[in-house]
Amino acid sequence: MLFILTRTQATFLPLLTLFVCLTRADLISDLKSHGFQVLAPADLGYASAIIPYNERFMFKPAAVTFPRNTQDVSTIVKISGRYNVTVTARSGGHSYIANGLDGKVVVDLASFKKFSVDPRTKIATLGPGIRLGDLILQLNAVGRAMPHGLCPYVALGGHAGHGGYGHTSRQWGLTLDVIESLEVVLADGKIVTASKSSHPDLFWALRGASSSFGIVTSMKVKTFPVPPTVTNMQYAWDMSTDEATSAVLDWQAFSLASTTPANIGAYLVLMRGSAKGRVALSFMGGYFGPNRNFDKIVQPLFKNYPSGGLRNATAMSYVDAAFLFGQMGTLNTTVIPEASNTLYAKSLMTPQETPMTREAVGSLIEYLGDVGFTADFIWAIEIEQYGGVTSQINKVPLDATAFGRRNALFTLQFLTAPSANVPPFPPEGFTFLDGMTNAILDNMPKDWDYGAYMNYPDDRLKDWQRRYYGSHYPRLQNLKAFYDPKDLFKFPLSIELPN
Ligand SMILES: Cc1cc2nc3c(=O)[nH]c(=O)nc-3n(C[C@H](O)[C@H](O)[C@H](O)COP(=O)(O)OP(=O)(O)OC[C@H]3O[C@@H](n4cnc5c(N)ncnc54)[C@H](O)[C@@H]3O)c2cc1C
Ligand SMILES: *[C@@H]1O[C@H](CO)[C@@H](O)[C@H](O)[C@H]1NC(C)=O
Ligand SMILES: *[C@@H]1O[C@H](CO)[C@@H](O)[C@H](O)[C@H]1NC(C)=O
Ligand SMILES: *[C@@H]1O[C@H](CO)[C@@H](O)[C@H](O)[C@H]1NC(C)=O
């Protein structure tokens, strides 16, 4: 960096630093003079306002702001720009890397919960602060539903900006696929609407990389009629490593098969087994079609699975199934507060054309049955079903949105936490989890074009530009230079300005 400084810049530098130091206090008083709530480090309430979902991170933002409306958001962004402090939106705060909140101005969108459904078009207008559980309940009350993740406490803001995957995604797409338009505050404080016909390039970028381009304050999305019935699937086994290897390969073959309809969505979960050399495997998801077809379609998957275990497929209403998918004992997020975690997560999206080999799966399962059994960590791997020839996720052309991967068969999510699940997160946690991904990667071709999922951000991933954003990265960089030339919306893994 120093080498390329021109003479003028070099002379200016000490002056600039002084300027920034002197004005921190003014930033706070400036922010505080507009009527919305602002919490700075000296304020009561600041300590609880900065607690992240993932307590592996403990950051100290310059201020946490609570805008009441889009105009307030614009004011906050303009002020932050003037003081040269980076800005980060927080909707549900579920970022695995706590948004890299250090030193930033946080724009908390918790009060952006506007909800309405147009009675004629059935297009919903939604605030980014709405949590998924509350969204399910509100849509269900008017007979509608949409694709999104399972956790009731995740909010729409971050979720819809980088993907949004759940059990209905294979039939309806990702959350970002149903967005019709977005209201967004840009780096210069301007409020614009992005859609196919208005700022189409921005509309493209906001569907996959929203956090790098602005603060979304409202979105219009397409909705679907609530499916009349859902078969909730809950299966569990304790398997030998050989059985578990076959089970994962059968899951892969089933997901690839043209006979597997799009109205199934599920994931296979691997966890610590009952003894060394064993792995616990569970299968959870929903079949969203008529119950009479269920056995014919789904049972073939399990034909070679070991007998015994728990096998429960029960037909129920959509909202009851969503309640069970959420695993939190509530969909209404105002009734029970959510607990934090101290976790590390990675993801790996496996291309449909080159699925995992038997060696790769076998090596992963061996690792889980051996190192995974003795490790002093809580851990799980979720093998989430994205693809297959019928999947709506992959029917969307790659270049239609900024989402980087439209060819994934699975997204594997690797999660680990120290056994007490409180900080500090020990360094061995990283190597333990790296061992899982390496077991796969070491058994796949060197040039295997796997991806990673931006809603499961991993700040230790080396070639993250390629893994998250794929071939879209250069275009995203050019748009970044246009829409956010001063890199105001900067965080680990945000789109970098072009060189
Ligand atoms: C318990 C748990 C379960 C999960 N389950 C699923 C799942 O089933 N499926 C799935 O796909 N994902 C799942 N996720 C991941 C989830 O989708 C992401 O963590 C998501 O980004 C969270 O959004 P948020 O608004 O709650 O988080 P935040 O931390 O508020 O935001 C996440 C990122 O988006 C940015 N952002 C937030 N709001 C806006 C906005 N309005 N405009 C622009 N940028 C914004 C933030 O700056 C940050 O970079 C899960 C995560 C957790 C912790
Ligand atoms: C803003 O801050 C960044 C990072 O701290 C610095 O590189 C840049 O020169 C600053 N710009 C101005 C105009 O102060
Ligand atoms: C959640 O529960 C609260 C308190 O009972 C209620 O006021 C609110 O309307 C409920 N929210 C939804 C989305 O049903
Ligand atoms: C199967 O699941 C349903 C729905 O969760 C539950 O009511 C029922 O008790 C379960 N049956 C068994 C045998 O576990």
Side-chain angles (χ1 to χ4, degrees):
M1 235 346 227
L2 274 178
F3 300 112
I4 56 164
L5 276 181
T6 65
R7 198 179 180 80
T8 14
Q9 279 171 322
T11 345
F12 266 37
L13 204 60
L15 211 73
L16 261 175
T17 317
L18 194 69
F19 176 77
V20 172
C21 290
L22 278 176
T23 53
R24 222 12 111 83
D26 298 340
L27 163 71
I28 304 301
S29 58
D30 207 344
L31 284 171
K32 283 186 174 174
S33 65
H34 295 272
F36 47 81
Q37 195 190 4
V38 177
L39 294 174
D43 295 326
L44 206 67
Y46 174 84
S48 60
I50 63 167
I51 297 173
Y53 172 81
N54 184 2
E55 295 187 336
R56 177 159 73 86
F57 296 95
M58 200 56 233
F59 289 135
K60 294 245 180 302
V64 183
T65 64
F66 298 87
R68 300 155 300 185
N69 50 45
T70 305
Q71 195 51 56
D72 285 352
V73 174
S74 166
T75 303
I76 296 162
V77 170
K78 279 186 193 155
I79 294 173
S80 307
R82 215 180 299 140
Y83 290 86
N84 196 22
V85 181
T86 56
V87 183
T88 299
R90 182 173 73 187
S91 290
H94 277 63
S95 164
Y96 284 164
I97 57 166
N99 306 358
L101 289 185
D102 244 11
K104 298 187 167 74
V105 170
V106 180
V107 181
D108 188 293
L109 299 161
S111 66
F112 284 61
K113 292 196 197 299
K114 186 175 62 189
F115 174 94
S116 68
V117 179
D118 184 305
R120 195 179 51 84
T121 62
K122 307 295 184 189
I123 300 271
T125 303
L126 306 172
I130 301 178
R131 311 249 177 186
L132 301 182
D134 304 311
L135 179 65
I136 294 166
L137 292 172
Q138 287 175 282
L139 282 173
N140 190 65
V142 293
R144 308 301 289 181
M146 62 181 276
H148 51 65
L150 310 179
C151 173
Y153 292 85
V154 163
L156 209 48
H159 194 62
H162 309 94
Y165 166 84
H167 293 331
T168 56
S169 291
R170 293 184 71 257
Q171 54 178 331
W172 294 339
L174 300 169
T175 308
L176 58 79
D177 292 326
V178 298
I179 298 175
E180 300 273 312
S181 70
L182 296 146
E183 179 188 74
V184 61
V185 175
L186 298 176
D188 59 5
K190 229 179 255 142
I191 301 165
V192 305
T193 297
S195 69
K196 236 182 234 160
S197 53
S198 161
H199 302 279
D201 52 357
L202 179 64
F203 185 52
W204 179 83
L206 290 171
R207 290 172 300 155
S210 69
S211 45
S212 294
F213 289 91
I215 299 185
V216 172
T217 48
S218 177
M219 61 190 95
K220 289 192 190 299
V221 306
K222 198 163 69 183
T223 64
F224 301 82
V226 168
T229 174
V230 180
T231 306
N232 177 51
M233 306 182 275
Q234 238 172 333
Y235 298 67
W237 297 265
D238 186 71
M239 295 190 184
S240 70
T241 48
D242 282 350
E243 289 168 336
T245 300
S246 300
V248 171
L249 290 167
D250 287 354
W251 177 223
Q252 191 166 257
F254 175 81
S255 299
L256 274 170
S258 59
T259 46
T260 301
N263 59 1
I264 292 172
Y267 59 119
L268 204 66
V269 185
L270 305 169
M271 285 180 296
R272 188 194 310 270
S274 62
K276 204 172 163 83
R278 298 189 73 80
V279 175
L281 190 148
S282 56
F283 177 83
M284 284 176 285
Y287 168 65
F288 298 83
N291 195 39
R292 62 178 182 279
N293 299 340
F294 177 77
D295 282 350
K296 200 177 96 213
I297 294 169
V298 179
Q299 294 305 358
L301 166 60
F302 302 121
K303 82 176 177 287
N304 297 319
Y305 277 51
S307 57
L310 166 81
R311 295 175 184 237
N312 189 342
T314 306
M316 58 186 72
S317 72
Y318 176 82
V319 74
D320 286 349
F323 170 89
L324 292 175
F325 297 160
Q327 298 187 348
M328 296 298 288
T330 184
L331 284 175
N332 185 325
T333 64
T334 55
V335 296
I336 307 174
E338 186 192 28
S340 291
N341 274 299
T342 302
L343 61 87
Y344 175 54
K346 288 168 102 69
S347 65
L348 197 158
M349 300 175 90
T350 71
Q352 195 159 302
E353 318 77 81
T354 44
M356 290 182 287
T357 57
R358 174 172 285 277
E359 291 68 35
V361 174
S363 147
L364 171 67
I365 301 289
E366 285 298 327
Y367 183 83
L368 300 180
D370 181 11
V371 183
F373 183 73
T374 47
D376 191 19
F377 288 97
I378 306 163
W379 59 266
I381 301 177
E382 296 182 0
I383 309 182
E384 303 164 352
Q385 186 187 22
Y386 268 57
V389 290
T390 57
S391 172
Q392 180 57 34
I393 302 172
N394 292 346
K395 279 186 189 154
V396 176
L398 174 62
D399 294 339
T401 71
F403 190 73
R405 303 274 163 178
R406 292 289 181 178
N407 68 340
L409 178 62
F410 290 145
T411 294
L412 279 78
Q413 180 175 201
F414 306 82
L415 288 151
T416 189
S419 50
N421 202 6
V422 291
F425 186 90
E428 311 86 70
F430 297 123
T431 38
F432 171 55
L433 205 137
D434 289 346
M436 295 185 192
T437 47
N438 289 342
I440 298 173
L441 295 175
D442 291 348
N443 287 283
M444 295 302 295
K446 273 271 160 294
D447 60 351
W448 193 40
D449 190 28
Y450 65 95
Y453 178 36
M454 194 49 204
N455 262 335
Y456 304 155
D458 168 13
D459 58 349
R460 290 177 63 254
L461 189 65
K462 288 204 183 66
D463 48 357
W464 57 270
Q465 294 90 340
R466 172 177 177 203
R467 300 304 170 198
Y468 290 121
Y469 302 106
S471 59
H472 294 150
Y473 199 68
R475 181 176 175 196
L476 285 166
Q477 285 193 286
N478 288 333
L479 290 171
K480 179 78 174 177
F482 184 78
Y483 285 106
D484 184 15
K486 286 162 73 184
D487 211 2
L488 201 63
F489 301 116
K490 181 186 168 75
F491 66 99
L493 310 176
S494 63
I495 308 295
E496 302 146 304
L497 291 167
N499 295 322

